[in-house]
Amino acid sequence: MTQLITVATCSLNQWALDFDGNKDRIIESIRQAKSAGASLRVGPELEITGYGCLDHFLELDLYDHSWEVLKDILAHEACQGILIDVGMPVLHGSCYYNCRVICMDKKILWIRPKQALANDGNFREMRYFTPWEKKRVVEEHLLPPELQELTGQTEVPFGDAILKTLDTSIGTESCEELFTPDSPHVHMGLNGVEIICNSSGSHHQLRKLDLRMNLILEATAKNGGVYLYANQQGCDGDRLYYDGCAMIISNGKLLAQGSQFSLNDVEVVTATVDLASVRSYRFAPSRRFQANKEPLFPSIKLQTRLATVGEKLDLSIKPSLPIEFRYHCPEEEIALGPACWLWDYLRRSRQAGYFVPLSGGIDSCSTAVIVFSMCREVIKAVHLGNQQVITDVRRICAEPEDTTWLPETPQEICNKLFHSAFLGTENSSKETRQRAKDLATAIGAYHLSMDIDMVVKAITTLFSASFGFALKFKVHGGSPAESLALQNIQARLRMVISYLLAQTLPLVRQRPGGGGLLVLGSANVDESLRGYLTKYDCSSADINPIGGISKTDLKRFIRWAQTNFELPVLGSFLEAVPTAELEPITQSYVQTDEVDMGITYDELSTFGRLRKVERLGPWGQFTHLLHVWSDTLSPRQIFEKVRHFNHYYGINRHKMTVLTPSYHAEQYSPDDNRFDLRPFLYPPLHWAMRKIERVVVGLEGKKQG
């Protein structure tokens, strides 16, 4: 017999510790779910607090506030008559747990603690929470007095269980549990659970979405069932962008999929599924034999029907049909992820806009184009009537409160909130200066072209007066130390001038209310990995949208944006040779990045992945590359590259301790904050190098023999 049920999941743009805003967005998602006829609503992980509270999860206040917010949600008139799955932290038995709270009609039915905690990469859940390791055990949890008063309950079930209604059964798992080999949904499905709810706090990483998709597909393709995936979306206060993509899958087929990148604060996804199709799908004898032996879960009873059957049949309700997955190519991910992150950061920091020192190179060009992409997304949201975006863009652009102004083009927004400057010296070329100006004109940025030689000269004159000699570049006969010092003077002065302009340009432009600009960095992940940047130069900024993206991917992005954003000026950036332009150009010498570094950007990406993703030290890197690069390089050449990379990685690691907070996008990011935890004072690594040297000598001997 057909048994249709409409279910809802969502992506919410929560903000860590924004209890008021988080509550409003949760209630709005429930309202939208009910309007769509859903009888079940699932929300993201830790949605009441926001996922990224970090060490605030160690504060008792946070747990008190979570119950207070939940009380307001349960009491709200929009939250009645629908089964609600809400995420929040709970203190139980003197331990902190990451929990799902299942509620309906002002009653708490069950609290389900997370069993497998995410504790690698950017995740540190074990620092705050305790995993629930009592499989199929349920205890009683004493509710706070204000919840006892509202619900009429003193204690509620807490533990590993499933929920049984009069017509179906429901289980829940959280984020990391989907990625574990022995996922809870396997055992729930064998216990007859038909609807699995997954509440996640999963952040964007380039080329990662397909892994998530495949795991959910496999979960229901093998065992049948309906799978609801909810996720946070947006920047909730740090380097991560949670990439939404709420979805509903039934029996291995996608029925509904939300956006991965969006400026919407609330996005609800619904589908109507036939529970009878789940039962039919589970006919296979092999599955039935395993299910027959599966230990039972404790069950929480709910005397309610969620599906429509019999006399309540509504012929206007139809089952959702399968749809195709929507994936973004990596270039689109770069265009959209950092752009949405920048918008959240700007509107929530309540600053007047962004500033970037535009050098005429591809890195600062990429930063500028991502800001332009942000403005394009704002225009799309404005044209769709997104009231929150309209309110935010009017405020950021300093429009009066009674304004009816609506921007028409991304260039119009860009001109009001994005500022750039070419900070040239006698070592800068006409070509880079012109490229910077042309790009700023194309995207509509407010642009300045300044020469800072007088400031550089003031510093070098101070040095000469103090020590009695003038510093020289190496092309003029100076020592390497002198040449490096002269380059760093230029680089660091650009940082100082950038912050001066960021603080004063709103004043110069007579922006109503004044305000300040956020300075954007433009160091890519490969240069940070190698340490090819000056400490406290323009790599030092407020935030960096490209700090987690490789040079190779940035070039692909700019080539993509040249066509898709209709910016032909970007072709000149792709043709230009990357250069810092910190040394004089002569007939026989032009400074270039890859020559300076002694390694190519592609090689840097390879070392980055071997070091972080494959977890290989110098010896492991060498033995791997010996097979991969042997067609083009000799064993000794490979050894020299391994030694060169690890030497500069080690001596420059200290720079990562002050690295500008960067959008996390790449698996091999060297971000020292919490993703890539390593020393910043390294020994010379003689042991590994001697071991490699012995192998190289042996291979050279065989070749000569």
Side-chain angles (χ1 to χ4, degrees):
M1 178 179 63
T2 298
Q3 203 168 353
L4 297 180
I5 176 174
T6 300
V7 292
T9 182
C10 63
S11 297
L12 302 183
N13 195 336
Q14 303 298 72
W15 188 7
L17 304 177
D18 180 21
F19 293 101
D20 289 304
N22 292 347
K23 181 188 74 172
D24 291 343
R25 287 182 283 272
I26 291 169
I27 292 172
E28 177 58 25
S29 72
I30 296 169
R31 181 184 289 111
Q32 290 185 25
K34 283 185 64 179
S35 297
S39 52
L40 166 65
R41 174 269 185 198
V42 181
E45 187 173 10
L46 296 168
E47 58 188 310
I48 284 180
T49 58
Y51 184 84
C53 293
L54 303 176
D55 277 4
H56 289 288
F57 282 123
L58 302 175
E59 300 170 1
L60 282 173
D61 286 6
L62 182 137
Y63 294 80
D64 292 339
H65 298 336
S66 296
W67 284 115
E68 292 158 4
V69 171
L70 181 64
K71 178 187 175 184
D72 287 354
I73 293 171
L74 294 181
H76 199 281
E77 61 181 1
C79 303
Q80 311 308 312
I82 183 171
L83 185 61
I84 305 167
D85 181 350
V86 179
M88 61 178 271
V90 175
L91 174 62
H92 174 77
S94 299
C95 293
Y96 297 147
Y97 293 98
N98 178 348
C99 293
R100 307 303 306 169
V101 183
I102 316 301
C103 317
M104 188 171 185
D105 294 336
K106 299 183 182 178
K107 299 289 184 183
I108 296 174
L109 305 175
W110 160 46
I111 302 174
R112 196 270 187 180
K114 191 173 182 180
Q115 298 175 0
L117 300 181
N119 210 56
D120 62 346
N122 286 300
F123 299 105
R124 292 287 180 274
E125 290 185 19
M126 291 285 284
R127 183 178 175 95
Y128 327 114
F129 302 122
T130 302
W132 183 260
E133 297 185 307
K134 302 175 184 179
K135 297 294 179 68
R136 295 176 173 81
V137 172
V138 174
E139 300 174 352
E140 292 298 318
H141 180 79
L142 181 66
L143 291 177
E146 60 270 27
L147 268 296
Q148 293 182 23
E149 181 180 350
L150 174 69
T151 65
Q153 301 167 286
T154 303
E155 296 180 324
V156 296
F158 184 103
D160 185 21
I162 60 177
L163 179 69
K164 288 188 175 181
T165 68
L166 294 178
D167 51 5
T168 189
S169 54
I170 300 169
T172 180
E173 63 183 8
S174 295
C175 201
E176 179 72 10
E177 294 171 340
L178 170 66
F179 294 83
T180 59
D182 190 23
S183 296
H185 68 254
V186 175
H187 304 285
M188 293 177 193
L190 291 173
N191 260 264
V193 170
E194 295 172 336
I195 301 173
I196 304 288
C197 307
N198 183 306
S199 305
S200 286
S202 188
H203 63 77
H204 174 236
Q205 190 166 279
L206 286 172
R207 305 172 178 91
K208 176 187 174 185
L209 182 60
D210 63 331
L211 171 62
R212 196 187 308 165
M213 291 278 201
N214 291 337
L215 286 170
I216 299 174
L217 274 176
E218 182 188 24
T220 61
K222 290 172 65 175
N223 207 4
V226 180
Y227 202 99
L228 280 71
Y229 177 84
N231 193 19
Q232 194 163 303
Q233 187 171 56
C235 166
D236 82 339
D238 68 355
R239 295 159 172 80
L240 306 181
Y241 179 83
Y242 299 90
D243 60 342
C245 205
M247 65 187 94
I248 301 172
I249 293 175
S250 179
N251 297 337
K253 302 245 180 108
L254 179 69
L255 302 182
Q257 179 186 355
S259 65
Q260 187 178 11
F261 309 106
S262 171
L263 301 189
N264 295 324
D265 279 352
V266 177
E267 185 176 88
V268 175
V269 173
T270 63
T272 300
V273 297
D274 185 359
L275 295 177
S277 70
V278 173
R279 295 157 194 164
S280 175
Y281 189 87
R282 291 173 167 176
F283 77 96
S286 57
R287 184 207 165 271
R288 298 202 306 268
F289 294 156
Q290 290 186 2
N292 192 46
K293 296 185 292 184
E294 183 70 21
L296 294 177
F297 279 85
S299 59
I300 311 298
K301 303 295 194 303
L302 176 61
Q303 299 300 312
T304 300
R305 294 189 185 277
L306 301 181
T308 56
V309 293
E311 296 178 356
K312 295 183 179 180
L313 279 179
D314 184 345
L315 297 182
S316 66
I317 300 175
K318 302 183 184 301
S320 301
L321 298 177
I323 61 174
E324 294 295 322
F325 281 109
R326 297 191 306 274
Y327 289 105
H328 293 289
C329 68
E331 294 81 3
E332 288 177 305
E333 291 186 69
I334 294 171
L336 297 173
C340 293
W341 181 73
L342 285 178
W343 178 249
D344 278 345
Y345 201 99
L346 179 59
R347 69 190 181 107
R348 287 174 168 169
S349 65
R350 304 189 77 80
Q351 298 302 301
Y354 285 120
F355 172 87
V356 69
L358 200 54
S359 69
I362 204 162
D363 291 330
S364 61
C365 163
S366 297
T367 295
V369 173
I370 287 171
V371 175
F372 181 65
S373 178
M374 177 195 80
C375 295
R376 285 171 55 92
E377 293 305 302
V378 171
I379 283 293
K380 290 178 187 176
V382 168
H383 289 170
L384 290 172
N386 187 318
Q387 288 303 311
Q388 184 62 59
V389 172
I390 291 171
T391 299
D392 287 334
V393 74
R394 285 172 173 169
R395 174 179 53 80
I396 293 168
C397 293
E399 292 294 315
E401 289 187 7
D402 59 351
T403 185
T404 59
W405 171 77
L406 289 175
E408 293 295 330
T409 66
Q411 285 84 355
E412 185 180 356
I413 301 175
C414 224
N415 184 260
K416 288 177 175 288
L417 61 79
F418 187 42
H419 306 68
S420 62
F422 182 84
L423 306 177
T425 69
E426 60 185 2
N427 301 316
S428 304
S429 67
K430 294 179 181 178
E431 290 79 10
T432 53
R433 186 186 297 268
Q434 189 63 46
R435 280 200 301 273
K437 180 181 178 181
D438 291 345
L439 175 60
T441 300
I443 65 176
Y446 178 88
H447 183 70
L448 300 169
S449 186
M450 304 174 67
D451 291 308
I452 63 171
D453 286 316
M454 66 178 71
V455 189
V456 175
K457 186 173 180 59
I459 300 296
T460 56
T461 300
L462 172 65
F463 181 91
S464 299
S466 300
F467 298 104
F469 73 96
L471 296 170
K472 297 178 182 178
F473 287 104
K474 65 181 179 182
V475 296
H476 297 152
S479 66
E482 291 176 75
S483 188
L484 186 60
L486 286 170
Q487 292 180 66
N488 287 344
I489 288 170
Q490 299 167 71
R492 290 187 172 118
L493 284 174
R494 283 178 175 141
M495 185 271 288
V496 174
I497 295 170
S498 292
Y499 272 94
L500 171 65
L501 293 173
Q503 289 180 318
T504 57
L505 278 178
L507 174 66
V508 170
R509 298 187 68 188
Q510 298 182 333
R511 179 185 186 271
L517 306 175
L518 292 163
V519 179
L520 296 178
S522 295
N524 63 63
V525 71
D526 296 323
E527 290 169 348
S528 297
L529 181 69
R530 163 62 171 71
Y532 185 63
L533 50 88
T534 300
K535 204 172 186 178
Y536 304 117
D537 69 348
C538 283
S539 64
S540 294
D542 293 310
I543 53 175
N544 181 357
I546 70 165
I549 305 173
S550 72
K551 189 82 161 189
T552 302
D553 279 338
L554 288 175
K555 288 180 179 178
R556 291 172 180 159
F557 161 63
I558 291 300
R559 187 171 291 108
W560 176 90
Q562 181 182 6
T563 301
N564 289 274
F565 288 176
E566 298 179 348
L567 295 173
V569 66
L570 298 181
S572 62
F573 287 85
L574 291 166
E575 295 164 2
V577 177
T579 173
E581 289 195 337
L582 294 172
E583 294 183 273
I585 299 172
T586 68
Q587 289 185 341
S588 60
Y589 178 75
V590 177
Q591 184 182 26
T592 63
D593 291 353
E594 291 188 335
V595 171
D596 271 4
M597 293 190 298
I599 191 170
T600 68
Y601 283 107
D602 286 344
E603 289 169 345
L604 273 175
S605 293
T606 297
F607 278 112
R609 290 189 175 90
L610 292 179
R611 179 196 66 91
K612 179 67 177 177
V613 182
E614 302 299 329
R615 302 176 183 87
L616 297 178
W619 168 251
Q621 295 165 15
F622 172 74
T623 56
H624 176 86
L625 294 173
L626 200 57
H627 297 282
V628 177
W629 287 352
S630 58
D631 291 342
T632 55
L633 298 174
S634 70
R636 182 159 294 280
Q637 288 173 318
I638 294 171
F639 171 37
E640 291 302 330
K641 286 188 179 293
V642 170
R643 178 159 57 186
H644 181 86
F645 167 76
N646 283 281
H647 169 72
Y648 283 99
Y649 171 80
I651 66 172
N652 287 313
R653 180 65 193 182
H654 66 95
K655 296 178 181 178
M656 298 302 97
T657 63
V658 295
L659 191 68
T660 294
S662 300
Y663 178 95
H664 177 85
E666 184 55 75
Q667 294 183 75
Y668 65 88
S669 168
D671 174 19
D672 188 70
N673 176 262
R674 76 172 189 260
F675 181 70
D676 190 39
L677 307 180
R678 299 172 193 263
F680 52 87
L681 179 62
Y682 272 82
L685 305 178
H686 289 316
W687 186 281
M689 298 306 162
R690 286 197 303 269
K691 185 174 182 179
I692 298 173
E693 176 74 39
R694 290 194 295 269
V695 173
V696 171
V697 170
L699 291 172
E700 290 174 339
K702 287 182 181 179
K703 187 174 182 180
Q704 292 173 359

